[in-house]
Amino acid sequence: MRDVVMLDRQGQPLRQTGNVLPENIQLFARFFTNTAGVLGKQMLGEDIQDVTIRYGGHEMVIHNLPEHFVVVLMGEGQPSLQA
């Protein structure tokens, strides 16, 4: 695990460890979880709890919790998380 941020439902940071994440991460977390939520309901009939995005040698896992989002960024060479 490299960096972690907890965001409220409006995308504002509540807690953070590691490097300060770019502000666009807040927007991405909301966008990806909302999109995955719609797809999950339409395709599976279930709520999506986590979204994993892999890019280059990195991985971003967004945990969609009732009160907030938790965004975890993984770096290259770190153990892989499965959502």
Side-chain angles (χ1 to χ4, degrees):
M1 182 169 24
R2 198 179 77 190
D3 306 308
V4 178
V5 63
M6 182 185 301
L7 305 169
D8 67 16
R9 283 284 161 195
Q10 288 69 48
Q12 297 303 310
L14 299 172
R15 292 188 182 136
Q16 186 160 341
T17 62
N19 296 316
V20 174
L21 302 178
E23 287 186 26
N24 61 1
I25 291 291
Q26 301 165 15
L27 176 65
F28 291 148
R30 292 174 60 199
F31 172 77
F32 287 128
T33 54
N34 288 338
T35 301
V38 170
L39 291 172
K41 283 284 191 188
Q42 296 296 318
M43 296 172 67
L44 305 172
E46 299 178 9
D47 289 329
I48 298 292
Q49 296 175 354
D50 304 308
V51 176
T52 301
I53 300 163
R54 292 182 182 98
Y55 55 99
H58 304 281
E59 187 171 282
M60 177 169 60
V61 180
I62 306 166
H63 302 280
N64 187 19
L65 303 171
E67 303 277 324
H68 54 272
F69 302 106
V70 177
V71 180
V72 180
L73 294 181
M74 305 291 286
E76 211 168 61
Q78 299 292 324
S80 178
L81 296 178
Q82 297 298 319

